[in-house]
């Protein structure tokens, strides 16, 4: 078993984002999540539940609670096993969030009445469905964030927001993917060197390792000023879908489609199939992994059961609006991101934030 790595070995876990910004240095420092209401997330299914069937999908509002804890609460409330409760995505604990769950009982069951089921958990809506809700089912998340103790030059802020609207931002994985104090990355390092773990712990380590390598590759493209530059062997991902295709560098429509946000360059979430790219693009991926000194991670992930996948290196925020109150030193942001993208990656292009929830955590059963 190898020694525990220092947090300095994994800079993306530090308080200030260390992956390079695309649009320049942050314009201010600020405080994030001074209270739960400062970080609000609403899950958008993107479709209407079936309207009939043996399952019920519940739109639930939670405050200061984790998704797994709410799953346990719903299981106890409905008299079913926790494994029978479904949900689409994990939502932040230190926040007010709305997300969908499913339980295998009819919608007419009185236990599913709209209203509170705990001090900080309420059922907002019920809909009958034919199947259990599975992970990754929803299409997007809408965010309403407040960053406090900030100071901006109004013109600079307006210009930066305009660039984010027009060009998007690097699709980095957020710090939470790597675990508290990089615990998931520490475990990945141990497993890649022959250590053992089972079940969810191993899954978290694999996910963290894949995300770390993706961020490293994306950071290399950003650092070279080539985030949206196409190379031989690159694959384009269609916006709003998982569909992808190998690009033709001679296609005259390629620059226009890229600028419009219709397509994005991609990178591999490493797995048993190796790189999803080819040619010069695949060579750049391997070079970025070598620069991170993570060849042993690549080998370990290729021996895992996880299939390689593609993820766009650029993401566009939908309906991005802002309100800056200079007197209150407060910035309010609202925007929508596709499932799997992190609001903190957008924030890093604007503000060097201190997430106060990390410093103010108290013992809780949630």
């Amino acid at each position: 078993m190898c020694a525990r790595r220092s947090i300095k070995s994994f800079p993306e876990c530090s308080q200030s984002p260390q992956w390079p910004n695309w649009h320049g240095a942050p314009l201010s420092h600020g405080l994030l999540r001074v209270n739960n209401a400062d970080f609000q997330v609403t899950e958008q299914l993107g479709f209407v539940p079936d309207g009939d069937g043996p399952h019920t999908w519940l739109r639930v509002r939670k405050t200061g609670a984790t998704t797994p804890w709410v799953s346990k609460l719903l299981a106890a409330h409905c008299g079913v096993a926790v494994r029978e409760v479904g949900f689409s995505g994990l939502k932040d604990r230190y926040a007010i969030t709305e997300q969908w769950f499913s339980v295998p009982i009819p919608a007419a069951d009185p236990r599913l009445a709209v209203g509170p089921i705990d001090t900080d958990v309420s059922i907002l809506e019920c809909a009958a469905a034919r199947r259990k809700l599975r992970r990754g089912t929803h299409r997007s998340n809408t965010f309403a964030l407040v960053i406090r103790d900030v100071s901006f030059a109004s013109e600079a802020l307006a210009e930066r927001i305009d660039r984010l609207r027009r060009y998007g931002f690097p699709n980095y994985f957020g710090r939470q993917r790597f675990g508290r104090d990089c615990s998931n990355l520490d475990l990945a390092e141990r497993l890649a060197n022959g250590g053992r773990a089972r079940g969810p712990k191993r899954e978290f380590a694999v996910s963290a390792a894949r995300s770390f390598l993706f961020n490293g590759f994306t950071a290399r493209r950003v650092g070279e000023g080539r985030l949206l530059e196409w190379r031989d062997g690159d694959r384009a991902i269609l916006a709003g879908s998982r569909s992808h295709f190998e690009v033709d560098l001679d296609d005259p429509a390629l620059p226009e489609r890229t600028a419009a946000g219709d397509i994005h360059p991609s990178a591999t979430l490493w797995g048993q199939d190796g790189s999803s790219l080819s040619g010069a693009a695949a060579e750049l991926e391997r070079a970025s992994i070598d620069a991170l000194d993570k060849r042993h991670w690549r080998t370990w992930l290729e021996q895992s059961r996880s299939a390689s996948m593609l993820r766009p290196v650029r993401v566009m925020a939908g309906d991005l609006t802002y309100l800056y109150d200079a007197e209150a030193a407060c910035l309010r942001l609202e925007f929508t991101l596709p499932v799997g993208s992190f609001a903190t990656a957008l924030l890093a292009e604007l503000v060097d934030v201190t997430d106060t929830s990390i410093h103010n955590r108290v013992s809780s059963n949630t």
Side-chain angles (χ1 to χ4, degrees):
M1 183 177 294
C2 63
R4 184 173 179 86
R5 297 287 296 274
S6 165
I7 192 171
K8 294 179 181 178
S9 299
F10 302 111
E12 70 290 341
C13 283
S14 64
Q15 186 58 39
S16 298
Q18 297 297 307
W19 302 113
N21 282 3
W22 190 28
H23 298 298
L27 301 176
S28 176
H29 296 278
L31 302 179
L32 180 65
R33 286 193 263 219
V34 172
N35 54 64
N36 288 328
D38 286 352
F39 201 102
Q40 300 188 39
V41 188
T42 302
E43 197 173 79
Q44 307 292 347
L45 280 180
F47 62 92
V48 177
D50 303 311
D52 63 85
H55 295 267
T56 301
W57 287 16
L58 311 170
R59 186 164 61 91
V60 174
R61 178 186 291 127
K62 65 180 183 65
T63 301
T66 66
T67 298
W69 184 83
V70 175
S71 294
K72 294 178 182 178
L73 179 69
L74 284 171
H77 180 73
C78 297
V80 301
V82 174
R83 65 178 180 276
E84 294 182 305
V85 177
F87 58 86
S88 182
L90 293 169
K91 293 293 178 286
D92 299 77
R93 171 181 175 179
Y94 298 98
I96 297 176
T97 69
E98 294 182 12
Q99 69 176 116
W100 288 86
F101 292 83
S102 71
V103 290
I105 59 177
D109 192 295
R111 290 171 293 185
L112 302 183
V114 170
I117 60 172
D118 187 77
T119 304
D120 297 313
V121 179
S122 295
I123 296 174
L124 303 180
E125 180 182 352
C126 300
R130 297 169 191 163
R131 64 194 186 282
K132 179 181 179 181
L133 182 60
R134 300 294 181 183
R135 295 290 291 273
T137 299
H138 67 293
R139 179 174 297 174
S140 61
N141 295 296
T142 297
F143 296 85
L145 310 182
V146 177
I147 304 93
R148 302 183 185 277
D149 198 22
V150 291
S151 178
F152 295 101
S154 295
E155 291 185 2
L157 176 59
E159 181 182 359
R160 184 65 58 90
I161 292 289
D162 180 63
R163 287 186 61 84
L164 288 168
R165 287 171 176 158
R166 293 170 60 192
Y167 304 115
F169 56 95
N171 197 19
Y172 292 129
F173 284 94
R175 192 176 58 239
Q176 56 267 49
R177 176 58 61 96
F178 306 117
R180 187 173 183 180
D181 294 338
C182 291
S183 58
N184 294 340
L185 291 177
D186 288 333
L187 179 57
E189 183 70 13
R190 295 196 293 274
L191 295 181
N193 281 282
R196 295 183 179 181
R198 295 180 180 178
K201 286 188 176 181
R202 181 179 179 83
E203 293 175 8
F204 288 148
V206 167
S207 178
R210 284 153 58 102
S211 302
F212 182 86
L213 297 183
F214 174 91
N215 276 15
F217 175 67
T218 302
R220 187 183 182 101
R221 294 184 67 129
V222 172
E224 294 177 353
R226 298 178 176 180
L227 181 65
L228 298 183
E229 181 177 302
W230 297 98
R231 294 173 173 82
D232 175 57
D234 261 326
R235 299 193 70 83
I237 293 184
L238 292 171
S241 79
R242 297 179 180 177
S243 299
H244 53 84
F245 60 91
E246 185 167 340
V247 297
D248 176 2
L249 298 182
D250 296 324
D251 181 358
L254 193 60
E256 181 180 353
R257 295 185 69 187
T258 306
D262 178 43
I263 56 175
H264 311 290
S266 62
T268 305
L269 293 175
W270 216 272
Q272 60 186 1
D273 309 307
S275 177
S276 300
L277 308 182
S278 60
E283 291 176 7
L284 181 66
E285 276 194 324
R286 292 186 178 90
S288 71
I289 292 173
D290 292 347
L292 292 168
D293 191 27
K294 296 300 177 189
R295 295 185 188 181
H296 58 304
W297 282 20
R298 184 173 64 199
T299 301
W300 166 59
L301 289 169
E302 288 173 355
Q303 296 170 350
S304 73
R305 299 177 182 176
S306 300
S308 298
M309 300 174 61
L310 283 172
R311 174 181 170 90
V313 299
R314 187 265 304 262
V315 62
M316 308 289 286
D319 302 320
L320 174 58
T321 62
Y322 77 101
L323 177 63
Y324 172 49
D325 186 335
E327 184 176 349
C330 175
L331 174 67
R332 299 177 183 272
L333 294 168
E334 293 188 11
F335 53 90
T336 298
L337 295 179
V339 61
S341 293
F342 288 75
T344 50
L346 184 152
L347 287 181
E349 296 285 344
L350 285 170
V351 186
D352 180 11
V353 296
T354 297
D355 190 337
T356 58
S357 69
I358 293 176
H359 301 287
N360 297 331
R361 286 172 176 168
V362 295
S363 177
S364 171
N365 65 348
T366 60

